[in-house]
């Protein structure tokens, strides 16, 4: 069986636009749709359970036609009862057909999951056809290279890239995934585009990546669905995605599809 679909959200996973993306993926799955929500990205927060519960409530309320049944994967830290190697923590991954991870810290997610059974089972279930959905911080973390957003934007660390979980490397992709691509929270006084980095800092960050890396920028309230079986990517939501490669830059608006090959190293963009 081929790898299952993967949805990457720039933001808005619990918005009207996000609901439409979830629905497109739910339509492919047996009912009731079995959903597992990974708590790891927000595992450092005291309210990590509440963050996951809000996503569950959204799916249950807004996708009632698919009768979603939701369980949690509380892989919050590498010790104690929330250890991502603990069998009871990992078990919902084997049960679910739709696996979701969302907001929090990309680097925290990477530190917690690298080399664990939780990550291994995610990879195995995806290879067996399960659907994956990653939003915001989790979308960053699953690339080959991960942007340390909090460390740079909030703490003032020097510019750098962390090694990501490289989930999509199995498809021959070397991605740096950047959600919140068109963010404007800073208003006229502060450029927060390019995932809060701004244009100027992003120029330096781009030069720091190996030349065969593809940067995938995803606008807010926007998602792309990677379909490995059909070698195609579709853009949904309110915005567009931006591809940056050695060959140049390309934007794909919502409602359009493009070949998965465009996300591979050295694609020729028409």
């Amino acid at each position: 069986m081929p790898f299952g679909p993967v949805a990457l959200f720039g933001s808005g996973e619990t918005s009207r636009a996000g609901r439409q993306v979830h629905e497109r993926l739910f339509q492919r799955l047996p009912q009731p749709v079995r959903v597992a929500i990974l708590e790891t990205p927000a595992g450092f927060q005291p309210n990590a359970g509440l963050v996951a519960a809000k996503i569950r409530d959204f799916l249950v309320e807004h996708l009632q036609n698919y009768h979603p049944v939701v369980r949690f994967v509380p892989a919050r830290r590498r010790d104690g009862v929330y250890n991502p190697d603990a069998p009871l923590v990992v078990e919902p991954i084997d049960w679910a057909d739709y696996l979701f991870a969302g907001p929090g810290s990309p680097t925290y997610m990477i530190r917690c999951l690298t080399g664990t059974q939780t990550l291994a089972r995610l990879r195995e279930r995806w290879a067996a056809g399960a659907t994956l959905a990653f939003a915001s911080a989790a979308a960053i973390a699953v690339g080959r290279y991960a942007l340390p957003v909090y460390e740079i934007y909030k703490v003032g660390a020097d510019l750098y890239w962390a090694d990501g979980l490289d989930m999509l490397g199995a498809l021959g992709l070397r991605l740096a995934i950047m959600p919140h691509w068109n963010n404007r929270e800073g208003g006229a006084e502060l450029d927060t585009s390019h995932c809060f980095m701004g244009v100027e800092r992003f120029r330096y960050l781009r030069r720091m990546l190996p030349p065969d890396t593809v940067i995938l920028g995803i606008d807010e309230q926007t998602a792309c669905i990677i379909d490995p079986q059909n070698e195609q990517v579709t853009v949904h939501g309110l915005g567009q995605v931006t591809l940056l490669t050695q060959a140049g830059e390309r934007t794909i608006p919502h409602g359009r599809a493009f070949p998965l090959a465009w996300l591979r190293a050295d694609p020729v963009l028409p």
Side-chain angles (χ1 to χ4, degrees), residues 3-16:
F3 288 92
V6 182
L8 300 171
F9 291 83
S11 79
E13 63 274 11
T14 57
S15 67
R16 180 178 180 182

Side-chain angles (χ1 to χ4, degrees), residues 11 14-15 22 67 84 104 113 121 126 131 142 149 154 183 187 194 196 203 206-207 220 223-224 226 232 247 264:
S11 79
T14 57
S15 67
H22 292 300
H67 312 289
L113 293 189
R121 292 305 297 144
W126 177 44
T131 299
V142 299
V149 179
K154 295 292 188 180
N183 183 273
H194 299 67
F196 303 98
R203 289 196 188 104
R206 185 178 181 185
R207 295 182 196 134
E220 296 186 329
C224 60
I226 298 172
Q232 189 176 63
R264 296 195 170 100

Side-chain angles (χ1 to χ4, degrees), residues 167-264:
M167 286 287 294
L168 302 175
L171 301 179
L173 308 182
R174 292 177 61 86
L175 295 179
I177 302 165
M178 298 185 67
H180 304 283
W181 185 255
N182 64 337
N183 183 273
R184 296 183 179 87
E185 287 182 18
E189 298 180 351
L190 177 65
D191 182 5
T192 53
S193 67
H194 299 67
C195 198
F196 303 98
M197 294 297 101
V199 171
E200 184 177 351
R201 279 193 296 195
F202 174 72
R203 289 196 188 104
Y204 289 100
L205 282 162
R206 185 178 181 185
R207 295 182 196 134
M208 297 168 69
L209 287 169
D212 61 350
T213 306
V214 176
I215 297 173
L216 172 60
I218 309 173
D219 283 356
E220 296 186 329
Q221 302 289 311
T222 306
C224 60
I225 298 177
I226 298 172
D227 183 350
Q229 185 173 359
N230 295 313
E231 286 277 315
Q232 189 176 63
V233 184
T234 54
V235 182
H236 304 276
L238 304 182
Q240 62 187 18
V241 301
T242 300
L243 307 183
L244 299 174
T245 75
Q246 292 186 86
E249 178 176 339
R250 173 93 181 201
T251 58
I252 300 94
H254 64 271
R256 299 289 298 274
F258 62 92
L260 181 58
W262 287 10
L263 294 181
R264 296 195 170 100

Side-chain angles (χ1 to χ4, degrees), residues 67-151:
H67 312 289
V69 179
V70 181
R71 296 176 63 186
F72 300 112
V73 182
R76 299 181 190 173
R77 50 184 301 134
R78 298 180 75 107
D79 58 13
V81 296
Y82 299 124
N83 191 322
D85 284 319
L88 287 178
V89 170
V90 177
E91 190 273 330
I93 296 175
D94 293 326
W95 165 85
D97 295 315
Y98 191 80
L99 299 154
F100 176 88
S105 164
T107 49
Y108 184 83
M109 180 175 176
I110 293 164
R111 290 198 307 272
C112 281
L113 293 189
T114 298
T116 66
Q117 282 299 305
T118 292
L119 182 60
R121 292 305 297 144
L122 278 173
R123 295 184 190 279
E124 291 168 9
R125 289 291 296 122
W126 177 44
T131 299
L132 305 181
F134 300 115
S136 195
I140 295 172
V142 299
R144 173 62 185 88
Y145 300 99
L147 181 69
V149 179
Y150 286 133
E151 290 86 342

Side-chain angles (χ1 to χ4, degrees), residues 17-109:
R19 184 197 66 78
Q20 294 171 350
V21 176
H22 292 300
E23 184 170 21
R24 287 180 181 274
L25 296 167
F26 277 19
Q27 288 172 348
R28 311 181 185 197
L29 299 173
Q31 296 186 31
V33 176
R34 295 183 295 187
V35 180
I37 297 175
L38 190 67
E39 297 182 7
T40 314
F44 64 97
Q45 299 177 194
N47 68 339
L50 178 60
V51 172
K54 287 183 176 180
I55 297 167
R56 174 202 59 196
D57 294 347
F58 175 84
L59 296 176
V60 170
E61 178 180 353
H62 294 278
L63 292 148
Q64 296 179 19
N65 291 345
Y66 302 93
H67 312 289
V69 179
V70 181
R71 296 176 63 186
F72 300 112
V73 182
R76 299 181 190 173
R77 50 184 301 134
R78 298 180 75 107
D79 58 13
V81 296
Y82 299 124
N83 191 322
D85 284 319
L88 287 178
V89 170
V90 177
E91 190 273 330
I93 296 175
D94 293 326
W95 165 85
D97 295 315
Y98 191 80
L99 299 154
F100 176 88
S105 164
T107 49
Y108 184 83
M109 180 175 176

